[in-house]
Amino acid sequence: MKPAPFRYVRPQTREEALEVLARYGEDAKVLAGGQSLVPLMNLRLARPKVLVDINPIPELGILERRDGELILGALVRHRQVERDPRVREACPVLSRAAAYIGYPAIRNRGTVGGSLAHADPAAELGCVLLATGAVVVLESTRGRREVRIEDLFVGPYTTCIRPDELLVEVRIPAWREDARWGFAEFTRHEGGFALGLAACVVQLDGQGKVVSARLAVGGVGPVPVRLAEAEERLRGAGLSEEAIAQAAACALSLEGYDDVHAPAWYRRRLGRWLVFRSLQQAAGGGN
Amino acid sequence: MAIALRVNGKPYRLEVEPRRLLADVLRRDLGFTGVHLGCEHGVCGACTVLLDGELVRSCLMFAVQVDGCEILTVEGLNASGGLHPIQRAFIEEFGFQCGFCTPGMILAAYRLLQDHPHPSEEEIRRALAGNLCRCTGYADILRSVQRAAALLAEAEGSRAP
Amino acid sequence: MLPSGRYVGQRVPRWEDRRFVQGRGRYLDDLNFPDQVEVAFVRSPHAHARLLRVDVEAARKDPEAVGAYTWEDLQGLLRPYWTMPRGPIRQARVTPLASGKVRWVGEPVAVVAARDRYVAEDLCELVTVEYEPLPAVVDAWDAMQPDRPRLYEEWPDNVVSHQTFQAGDPEAQLANCAVVIRKRFRSNRVTAVPLEGRGILARWDPLEETLTVWMGHQDVHLVRAVLSEVLGLPLGRIRVISPDVGGAFGIKLPIYPEEMVVCALARILKRPVKWVQDRKESLLGDTHAREAVVDVEAGFDAEGRIRAMRVHIVSDAGAYAVAGRGPVIEGSMLARELPGPYDLRHYAYTLDVVMTNKAPVAVYRGVAIPVSTFVMERVMDLAADALNLDPAEIRRRNLVRTFPYTTVTGHVYDAGQYVEGLDKALELVDYRRWREEQARLRERGRYLGIGICCLVDATARGGGFYGRLGLKAATQEGCILRIDPTGGVTAALGTTTQGQGLGTALAQLIADTLGVPLERVTVVMGDTATTPYGGGAWASRGAVAGGAVALLAARRLREKVQHIAAHLLEAAPEDIELADGRAFVRGAPTRSLSLEEIAHTAYFVAADLPRGMEPGLEVMVHWEPEIPATFAYAAQVMVVEVHPETGAIEILKYLVVEDCGPLINPGLVDGQLRGGILQGLGQALYEDLVYDAQGQLLTSTLMDYILPGIQEAPEIEIHHMSTPSLRTVGGLRGMAESGTAGVLAVVANAVADALKPFGAEVTALPLSPARVVELIQDRREWTAGTFHMEGG
């Protein structure tokens, strides 16, 4: 299994990278961590004519807080997301979830930008960012645009990123100190692809009633989704077991998909269980 | 493309086609056959090497990406010709059978013990979760890493003033 | 009896194999010649199709190509083949590159040679092939019906082997049974996935007209025999060498079409030709195993004793019969070993081995016994349920107690302590306490299950198991043992090793018999030029057959050394002891000679030897097992908790009592048991080769074919009993497959036991999370109040 030949380009700056993408468009693919792309290339399922290696571009690796927001450059590695104390402070649910991504060697190379652009329905990042909210910044020679995370994934392994665009960073809104959160996933084997994931971020008022809730489920359907109905139901309610269970039950009406690992009905049930677990964590007052 | 890299402490310069995997260049061009290929899609971990001190799957990188980098393979653990304590531990505790996963396992253990010289069983399992073995059933590998930690601590202790 | 000394019975580490921890193992892909070419294969994308046209012209003409070939180009150098000429198997012939039709996705159709694999794969894309797709048969039951598409059109149907057997009168017995268990069981399709894939490097010497082949393989003599036949070359002109092998487990026993093609290309190109398989090719085309449907009718009396059993087995054979092994062995063994360790006198089976448009099937660690044990042990539990007996008790009432015991299918259990082994396992695991725990947890809505299994595993086949069928796979074994003029000891055997550490074990036997330090013993295996004709590694025969000839040769050599020493030291041979590389007179240690001195006399001053004695210190021994198989026995117990919300199975306890006779090296033995068990767990919980209705393999990468990692490995507590065999040298029994043999059974039984409140029927594998949830068919009201949140 050896990759097909390609032209290798290694831009040193963002501008150079964008120029290359503008020139080659559909014929080019961006190489970030390579943990998803290179297997496909080795299998010859992906055969870009031009491979644009953005790893040398330092500004794409920024990791900083700006006015409370957490900014993650496209080249921030999963390992950094897992371990950097700034991420843990600024977005604890993200930090927790990153620990579940594959194995240490995968996390050393895999990137935030790469994961989002690859749009695996069962990826941790996509699901968690739906729960936290996020904005993805795309650049091209034509300009810069921001896409809400809700609009990024259009189908399995498909995003709205155009061929000449580069995902340069993700902006995650400021974390409220009193926010509660939860994350749960289920895999058949450690480090493997999740059969389901759930993440939640919940704001409670002084009486313990839900002011706002964001519940995201991944791995069940073709893209990660928010459980809008469940979020609505929880508003104004306390996080009792009954309330949580009812909210979780909304997962049963999700669109699921069938593959060799699990049929859709199982994924929906699993989604329900995982939402329940993640809300339980949030109710339990954090982790 | 021309690349310059260091492997196990020695410098190398060579010309490589962009699509050649790091694993193939290490194995075929530079003779480091201790790097093994078990799947070429990043799952089995047999191709694990240390790149600038961190574990990576050399089957998921192109050689052109490591220009200017430092690589450690299992052959680099005992450059002086003896056995590194981790290697000794794997022999003493039957941590290998066919030996194909062994270089990757040893490097994963090496990296773990750098951060956690006295790892718990759970920490060992987490660190080696990405290295598949089809022969041992893993129990002896776990024991080997525990023994390695003990041997390294001994060596450390005997070096203390 | 095994020799007693410094080494036998001890956990001797494999210091002589330290190259593996240094990254200095020499596996096939580590071998390279500067003028070699590498090849890649064009493979059929269709499961069943007529092959109309294969056009390699564009590839051939490419400046990067060294050559491109179809069957037409190679038919002068290669013969069609079939697995074996005799036996209960329909005959056909297949060609190493497809001709006429293709029968499975992945079947090699053309081959391209270039300077390296990257270029060879590029060139494969220039080959155009015209197919006329045919309907495929993917399910063995379906494929067996009349009027289904036939893989071999000269056959009346797709059944490659139909066998029947009857002992006693099962039908009459069944009519009188208190309980009859009627069930259909399904075992899933899996493959061995050794971490090192297959590969071959072949070099033809045009002057000498000899072929040298390097291949990671379990039986180099078999390879040579098959290549000789297929290439039409005299056996003596072929040399086969197996370098270090990164695992095999049975899939490196056949000789595959790619390997035959590479040898032919070596002759054409007169340059070394190399092929190294990639993981996708491995999942697509390494022989698969274990897919079977077993319909059972088992009758028990009111006391729980099994009286009769009738089975119909449909064993999936895949698309063709590989050379060196075939698709019929698994089905035959499943049928013949099904009664297991139980006393059963009325037994009948019908076996249909059926070709399907999927990868060919042959042998994988345990070969059928994991499946037969799964079936038999489920039946035992079901009968226990029906009769309200404890599952342990029903087994006690049925296990063989009197030895030797000959089974209805002709196997001899020469000696054993089967009931004692079960009782020991139950005691060590604290069975009673787990039953109490189970009851307690059930009240709290948690599902704990205990699975028990008793098994026997057939090892070290004898009696011309394959030879009678015309296959050149030996059940005998050979050893040439030599003490050289420096006092060093070299043993050459026809066995091989792929990680089992057999060399160490054999060296231990030899060192203790000859009284030499272990480091002085070198064991040579895996080269047809330098080893005696033997059988390689299969059926866990390494220690039994290899150990036998090593021991017999060492004893003979020891005797000779004693006689020479006695002669030179003027003592009686029975007063000569060997230790530390010296021979000395018992009680007078200063009267001694080193082995080097004795060897010097034997080789260079033969006139000083006892009169009539042959010069030299070299013996050759060949040995064949007396009985068709030597049986290991094991009792395994597993405790699980099943989580109904996710279908996850958590293993809380796993204990094995293993009786494989005396142990040469407990470290090696336990390693084999644990590794084998993990492979069994793989099949039970994670691994599954899934084909769609068109015969496309949906699980063709390790992302979809899931192998258990260290986080999935439970702690396995192993205890040993030793009932030496009465029919082997040293009392040894094989054991490398008996770990695998029990796992499907204990997992299935444990899960069924856990899910009893739901009336779950566990009859099929794997027990993936989705399947477990499906079994439960949980219709409980899911509200927080009734749903217990512990664990999960």
Side-chain angles (χ1 to χ4, degrees), chain C residues 338-596:
Chain C
L338 194 52
Y342 302 113
D343 181 15
L344 177 67
R345 306 316 302 172
H346 301 272
Y347 177 55
Y349 65 76
T350 305
L351 166 68
D352 285 297
V353 183
V354 187
M355 315 294 298
T356 55
N357 291 113
K358 298 183 293 197
V361 164
V363 293
Y364 168 35
R365 193 173 202 167
V367 190
I369 296 185
V371 183
S372 66
T373 305
F374 161 62
V375 172
M376 194 67 233
E377 293 304 288
R378 281 301 300 132
V379 166
M380 279 291 158
D381 269 20
L382 288 167
D385 266 351
L387 291 165
N388 228 354
L389 281 173
D390 182 285
E393 182 56 29
I394 199 173
R395 287 171 170 82
R396 275 192 206 97
R397 296 182 187 185
N398 285 289
L399 284 168
V400 168
R401 291 171 182 263
T402 318
F403 299 90
Y405 177 90
T406 304
T407 74
V408 289
T409 53
H411 279 301
V412 178
Y413 302 158
D414 61 352
Q417 302 177 69
Y418 297 172
V419 176
E420 292 84 344
L422 172 62
D423 284 338
K424 181 167 174 159
L426 294 170
E427 190 192 307
L428 287 167
V429 88
D430 204 348
Y431 182 60
R432 228 171 289 281
R433 189 181 71 77
W434 283 111
R435 282 286 175 216
E436 287 165 13
E437 182 75 355
Q438 177 182 50
R440 196 177 66 80
L441 286 174
R442 240 180 227 163
E443 279 167 26
R444 293 164 61 188
R446 286 175 62 181
Y447 306 98
L448 195 89
I450 304 169
I452 298 171
C453 115
C454 300
L455 67 101
V456 282
D457 186 39
T459 73
R461 297 273 178 187
F465 187 74
Y466 286 117
R468 287 185 200 287
L469 305 171
L471 182 58
K472 291 183 170 61
T475 45
Q476 59 86 18
E477 194 44 64
C479 174
I480 299 172
L481 187 65
R482 174 194 317 135
I483 299 174
D484 67 42
T486 68
V489 182
T490 307
L493 293 96
T495 48
T496 60
T497 187
Q498 298 79 38
Q500 305 89 317
L502 181 63
T504 306
L506 295 174
Q508 288 172 255
L509 292 173
I510 293 166
D512 274 350
T513 307
L514 293 178
V516 299
L518 192 65
E519 313 78 73
R520 241 199 248 187
V521 180
T522 306
V523 179
V524 174
M525 296 185 281
D527 183 342
T528 55
T530 61
T531 60
Y533 218 111
W538 55 284
S540 308
R541 66 192 290 279
V544 178
V549 291
L551 271 175
L552 292 171
R555 286 176 191 166
R556 213 188 281 177
L557 208 50
R558 177 194 173 92
E559 216 180 285
K560 186 164 188 179
V561 167
Q562 284 172 314
H563 275 85
I564 298 172
H567 183 73
L568 296 175
L569 293 171
E570 292 174 352
E574 51 276 19
D575 291 332
I576 300 292
E577 293 203 344
L578 303 187
D580 294 319
R582 303 189 69 80
F584 58 95
V585 179
R586 190 180 306 116
T590 50
R591 287 173 66 199
S592 77
L593 288 166
S594 70
L595 275 188
E596 194 176 333

Side-chain angles (χ1 to χ4, degrees), chain C residues 52-127:
Chain C
L52 300 176
R53 201 170 62 91
V54 186
D55 186 350
V56 296
E57 275 315 297
R60 190 176 279 160
K61 287 209 182 85
D62 191 288
E64 301 258 41
V66 172
Y69 310 88
T70 67
W71 172 244
E72 250 174 51
D73 302 311
L74 300 182
Q75 59 188 339
L77 285 168
L78 282 175
R79 295 184 186 148
Y81 65 92
W82 196 241
T83 179
M84 51 187 70
R86 292 195 287 280
I89 175 173
R90 254 189 198 135
Q91 296 292 319
R93 284 274 173 277
V94 287
T95 53
L97 285 180
S99 59
K101 67 193 297 202
V102 290
R103 296 181 180 87
W104 52 287
V105 171
E107 182 170 355
V109 170
V111 64
V112 179
R115 71 164 182 279
D116 67 37
R117 174 78 185 219
Y118 288 76
V119 178
E121 286 191 24
D122 295 341
L123 295 170
C124 282
E125 292 172 349
L126 300 179
V127 174

Side-chain angles (χ1 to χ4, degrees), chain A:
Chain A
M1 266 161 44
K2 308 296 182 188
F6 54 81
R7 177 140 180 256
Y8 176 72
V9 179
R10 202 196 296 172
Q12 298 297 308
T13 67
R14 228 153 82 178
E15 288 67 39
E16 269 180 55
L18 297 182
E19 265 158 38
V20 174
L21 288 176
R23 190 171 345 140
Y24 292 107
E26 297 245 349
D27 286 345
K29 265 211 139 336
V30 172
L31 175 67
Q35 305 301 284
S36 307
L37 178 61
V38 182
L40 293 176
M41 289 179 70
N42 288 347
L43 284 160
R44 299 202 176 200
L45 293 171
R47 315 167 59 112
K49 295 204 178 73
V50 180
L51 192 65
V52 187
D53 182 357
I54 59 170
N55 284 282
I57 304 175
E59 58 202 288
L60 293 178
I62 54 161
L63 195 170
E64 62 187 37
R65 293 201 72 172
R66 221 186 280 149
D67 306 321
E69 279 191 330
L70 177 64
I71 317 293
L72 299 176
L75 283 179
V76 169
R77 311 277 171 188
H78 296 316
R79 181 170 188 259
Q80 291 171 273
V81 177
E82 180 194 359
R83 301 215 195 166
D84 195 307
R86 290 171 292 173
V87 179
R88 206 176 312 126
E89 241 181 67
C91 194
V93 60
L94 187 60
S95 182
R96 161 67 66 87
Y100 286 81
I101 301 174
Y103 313 104
I106 304 282
R107 296 197 287 278
N108 286 338
R109 295 296 303 171
T111 64
V112 168
S115 172
L116 290 174
H118 184 64
D120 184 326
E124 285 80 1
L125 238 49
C127 177
V128 170
L129 291 180
L130 262 186
T132 61
V135 159
V136 169
V137 179
L138 307 175
E139 283 191 1
S140 70
T141 50
R142 294 173 291 110
R144 182 184 166 100
R145 68 180 177 122
E146 297 189 351
V147 175
R148 294 181 322 147
I149 190 77
E150 284 85 347
D151 302 322
L152 181 63
F153 308 116
V154 303
Y157 307 99
T158 324
T159 63
C160 66
I161 302 174
R162 298 191 193 115
D164 66 337
E165 285 179 320
L166 178 67
L167 191 160
V168 297
E169 70 187 27
V170 180
R171 292 207 322 264
I172 300 162
W175 186 262
R176 290 186 48 140
E177 282 317 305
D178 58 354
R180 313 282 195 103
W181 58 275
F183 176 76
E185 80 166 48
F186 181 73
T187 56
R188 281 183 79 173
H189 68 123
E190 159 118 352
F193 296 106
L195 291 180
L197 322 141
C200 69
V201 179
V202 180
Q203 233 77 51
L204 301 178
D205 67 18
Q207 284 78 49
K209 302 271 185 260
V210 174
V211 171
S212 75
R214 292 176 69 103
L215 312 180
V217 177
V220 173
V223 295
V225 291
R226 277 175 60 185
L227 290 181
E229 196 193 326
E231 291 172 356
E232 188 53 48
R233 283 214 201 160
L234 281 176
R235 226 182 304 281
L239 285 181
S240 66
E241 266 207 6
E242 204 177 306
I244 294 175
Q246 278 190 14
C250 294
L252 291 177
S253 32
L254 284 174
E255 183 194 347
Y257 70 88
D258 292 300
D259 70 7
V260 291
H261 299 294
W265 66 261
Y266 171 82
R267 291 195 141 92
R268 281 190 286 267
R269 284 185 57 124
L270 182 66
R272 174 183 69 176
W273 168 245
L274 292 171
V275 170
F276 184 91
R277 293 290 282 164
S278 70
L279 283 171
Q280 248 197 330
Q281 289 169 30
N287 296 267

